Amino acid sequence: PSGSLLAAEAMRAAGLLLAWALLRPAATHQCHLAGPGGVLRFTDTHAEIRVPALHRVPSSLDPLYGLVRRCLDLIQQNPLPTELLRAALNDPGSVRTSQVVQYELGYVVCAAVALLFTLAVPVAGMCFCYCRSRRRCGGRLRAHRRSLGCRRHCLLACLSLTSLVILTSVVCAFVTSQRVKGQMEPGLGAVPATLRTLRQHIANIPQGVQMVVDQFEVPRQQIISDLGGLSRSVGLSIHAQLKAMTYAALADLQDRAGDLQTSLHHLQILDKTVRALASARAELEPALRERRRRVVALLDDPRCTSCASVLGRAQSLELGADYSKVPSVEKVLKALAGLPRSDFAEMIRQGNGTFNSIPELAVERMAQVIQDLRDEMARMTEKVQSIANSFPLPDYTWPVSEALVKAEDRSQPYLREVERFEQYRWIAGTVLCSIILLILACNVIGMVLGAYGLSKREDPSDYECRGEAGAKFLLVGVGLAFLFSWLLILLVFATFLVGGNIQTLVCRNWVNQEIYKFIDTPGNLPPSMNLTRQLNLRRDSNLSAAYRECKSGAGLWEVLQLDRSYDLDEHLKSPKYTADFQKRLGDFTARLGDVRLLRSEGRQDLETFARSGVDEVDYRRFQEEMKNPVVQTSLPGLARSLEGLQKMQRNGTVAGRLAAEAQALWQMQNSTVQSQEALVAKLGESIQFLSHLAPLLQERVKTTLATIASVEARLPMQAQQILRQEIGCFTRKELRYFMQYLNWVGQTLREDVASCQPLATALDNGRVILCDRIADPWNAFWFSLGCCTFFLIPNIIFAVRLTKHFRPIRNRLISTGSEETCPFHIPRVTALKL
């Protein structure tokens, strides 16, 4: 039947699914513990004693700084004077003046120019004063020419342009002077502060290392917290991964137990019903025979009108189905007698309870190993403490600390002197820049008054007070220029000599590392200045190599000379601390899947059920017999026919007898036949269930028993696999915490606590402060002030020449070389005024 085929296909699909679930390896499951592990947060232990890195800040004056540096490169083209410096440091008396002059030749030339300017300009000023006393310089024009207007405009333009250049230069001088002052004080203060920070950094190394080691408490607490939930997590993971397989097996077992109970019930019904039907048939047979005889005799009576049509049906009135011919199930019932001997419901409940108790069982079985792992964490803390105990630096950093103390003590007097001289420079620069501004003010006022006076003067020979005042303002500016020019050139040359040498001798060679090469070359420094020995650097290293290593993030122990080498990476290898922890987890085993799903008596019941012969009974015989009615001729139909004939009869006796026979047939139908038909319907239900179950009984029972046996055998193995898998996941997660901590220790010791990078940073900061923040604006200051000073010369010339145009002309005669003359005017008396 189609129903049996569908059931067989469903069982086959279920069997394949169960086989896949049983044979799938547990290793394919993902880790069920709390993810891959979080990121640990460690406390910053060394933030207050770091040397912040300084960088060159872009500025709007960078083009000016670049121009000044190029000018200095032209003035001083010589490289670092190694021979001269070696002689000066080792034997100062052997240094010859000619060597210094040869190296400083560009500065010597500039000094000569400055000296010439210092002498020439005051002398020129005195000559100008003498000429003015003789009324020769800055007097009046002697004659009016047509070209005077063009000359006047040209002189005005030149003086304005010169004043504009001087104004721009003096503004730059003011700005750069303030910038030098603003950077000098913090720059000078940064020297002892940086040296103190470096000393504090070195002195705090032991404390910092201990603080780093103490941070092991962070992963330790995290691991102990994870250990607290390990056992239950493992149990829940085993339960979650195996529950589908176990619940499916228990459901299958419950179905077979239900099949056994139901089959036994239907077999008992079948046997009882067949017996009842056979007994009822035996009772019905003589009554039915007698009733047929009486009905046939009545219908064959000649007095019975139209009875021949019903006679044939009455003659065929006989019994139908005979259930004495169907197979007996007594043998099957005998085989199943006493079943089930076991309580399957209790058995399934116990198996389910045992399986569901796996998480609690895991907590109980793993309690000891969890405690051992907690004890191991305490021992691991002692192992981590060995990092601080074996750290070698405290015994080898005292030379560096001593050198830093000496440098700080010796630098203080020089720094105070520099600060004092910088104060003098700023005062002198501010005063002289103010004087230049005063000179520019005289120029501007003089040109404005002079031009205004010219516009108001009707005759060139007329006296005009505003024009005369403009000329006097110009001459005042000229006088100030002559008076202070020598002070300006002295300040320019003094600042130029200092700033220029700092840039060309120090900064330029600092940037290209030539200073480090000079220091590293043996013999350049006297023994008392041997930095490699004073700083206790490695014997195979030098200052340049140490600087590069420190800048790249090396630790102090990697650049200092130690009695024995120290490899931090060797001390931070994870197995050194985690080997015992891993071994305890790796060696742990526990049987967590011993679940008894089916006891032996239950197995015997199912095997007896399969061998009972339920599937050997020929249920088709029952079905074929059930197709036959209890009586071949329908009693209700025959009774209604007799009732119809009664109405057609003229003979009252025949009519009465027909009515009696119809009543007897209805009584037989209602009392006997209907009860047998009910038994047949009840029998049909049992036959239908048993006929559907029988073909699949052997396969279902065998599959169930095989599944239960396989699940019981595989539960411990798969539980062990899952246990190993979950412990492996836990181990990897906790080892990541160890690795995070050890990596953080290595990074913190190298880059922070015991790093020598602050030494390189301090050197770089020194270059930034000296060269970028002080030397650049310092050199821009003297360059700007020098431009002001040298442009005072054309300013003097143009101002003196322009004063003549603002005063009245002595003689109105024109000498242009042409034949034209001006109209004759009678001069006023004021025109004769000298």
Side-chain angles (χ1 to χ4, degrees), residues 201-277:
H201 170 74
I202 294 173
N204 285 356
I205 286 177
Q207 180 184 355
V209 173
Q210 185 58 50
M211 293 174 68
V212 168
V213 170
D214 292 342
Q215 288 291 303
F216 180 67
E217 188 67 16
V218 175
R220 192 182 77 86
Q221 289 296 337
Q222 181 64 48
I223 293 170
I224 289 178
S225 175
D226 291 347
L227 283 173
L230 172 62
S231 55
R232 177 161 291 276
S233 178
V234 169
L236 291 175
S237 180
I238 294 174
H239 184 272
Q241 296 185 48
L242 299 183
K243 67 180 180 181
M245 175 178 68
T246 305
Y247 289 166
L250 289 173
D252 200 15
L253 177 59
Q254 188 173 11
D255 291 342
R256 297 295 77 75
D259 290 345
L260 173 59
Q261 295 280 1
T262 309
S263 298
L264 183 59
H265 173 69
H266 282 291
L267 285 171
Q268 291 172 348
I269 291 175
L270 185 149
D271 183 64
K272 183 179 179 181
T273 304
V274 168
R275 290 177 185 276
L277 286 171

Side-chain angles (χ1 to χ4, degrees), residues 236-502:
L236 291 175
S237 180
I238 294 174
H239 184 272
Q241 296 185 48
L242 299 183
K243 67 180 180 181
M245 175 178 68
T246 305
Y247 289 166
L250 289 173
D252 200 15
L253 177 59
Q254 188 173 11
D255 291 342
R256 297 295 77 75
D259 290 345
L260 173 59
Q261 295 280 1
T262 309
S263 298
L264 183 59
H265 173 69
H266 282 291
L267 285 171
Q268 291 172 348
I269 291 175
L270 185 149
D271 183 64
K272 183 179 179 181
T273 304
V274 168
R275 290 177 185 276
L277 286 171
S279 176
R281 189 178 190 279
E283 294 176 359
L284 180 61
E285 185 176 5
L288 185 63
R289 190 183 307 117
E290 177 62 22
R291 187 58 51 199
R292 181 183 62 187
R293 186 188 62 78
R294 290 173 65 85
V295 171
V296 169
L298 178 60
L299 294 176
D300 198 29
D301 190 339
R303 293 176 296 175
C304 186
T305 305
S306 300
C307 295
S309 61
V310 184
L311 181 60
R313 291 169 62 190
Q315 290 175 345
S316 64
L317 188 63
E318 59 184 13
L319 292 175
D322 185 2
Y323 288 97
S324 62
K325 299 177 182 180
V326 297
S328 174
V329 294
E330 291 183 2
K331 183 181 178 181
V332 178
L333 287 172
K334 185 178 180 181
L336 296 176
L339 295 183
R341 288 183 291 271
S342 57
D343 188 351
F344 280 96
E346 179 63 20
M347 193 184 309
I348 292 172
R349 188 187 65 79
Q350 291 180 359
N352 196 24
T354 303
F355 177 75
N356 289 335
S357 66
I358 285 180
E360 288 73 19
L361 183 62
V363 173
E364 178 184 347
R365 298 280 175 85
M366 297 184 68
Q368 184 57 46
V369 72
I370 296 296
Q371 184 58 43
D372 293 342
L373 290 172
R374 288 194 176 100
D375 297 339
E376 181 59 35
M377 290 304 300
R379 289 189 290 273
M380 198 177 299
T381 303
E382 299 175 359
K383 295 179 183 178
V384 172
Q385 181 60 37
S386 65
I387 297 176
N389 296 338
S390 62
F391 203 68
L393 279 184
D395 298 331
Y396 301 96
T397 54
W398 66 266
V400 181
S401 300
E402 186 177 355
L404 292 174
V405 171
K406 291 180 179 179
E408 182 179 355
D409 294 340
R410 293 176 181 177
S411 64
Q412 293 291 346
Y414 297 103
L415 296 176
R416 285 192 292 270
E417 289 298 316
V418 170
E419 187 175 6
R420 185 166 61 89
F421 283 115
E422 162 58 19
Q423 185 69 20
Y424 295 157
R425 181 211 63 81
W426 180 80
I427 294 174
T430 303
V431 170
L432 292 177
C433 287
S434 301
I435 292 174
I436 293 175
L437 289 177
L438 183 60
I439 294 172
L440 292 176
C442 291
N443 287 349
V444 172
I445 295 173
M447 287 187 290
V448 170
L449 290 176
Y452 184 73
L454 288 176
S455 65
K456 295 296 182 180
R457 190 166 59 189
E458 296 179 357
D459 191 286
S461 61
D462 291 344
Y463 177 83
E464 212 287 318
C465 62
R466 284 163 290 199
E468 185 68 22
K472 290 182 178 180
F473 268 107
L474 290 177
L475 289 178
V476 170
V478 170
L480 291 174
F482 279 126
L483 184 61
F484 291 100
S485 60
W486 66 280
L487 292 175
L488 284 169
I489 198 65
L490 288 179
L491 180 60
V492 168
F493 180 73
T495 52
F496 159 72
L497 187 62
V498 175
N501 276 291
I502 289 176

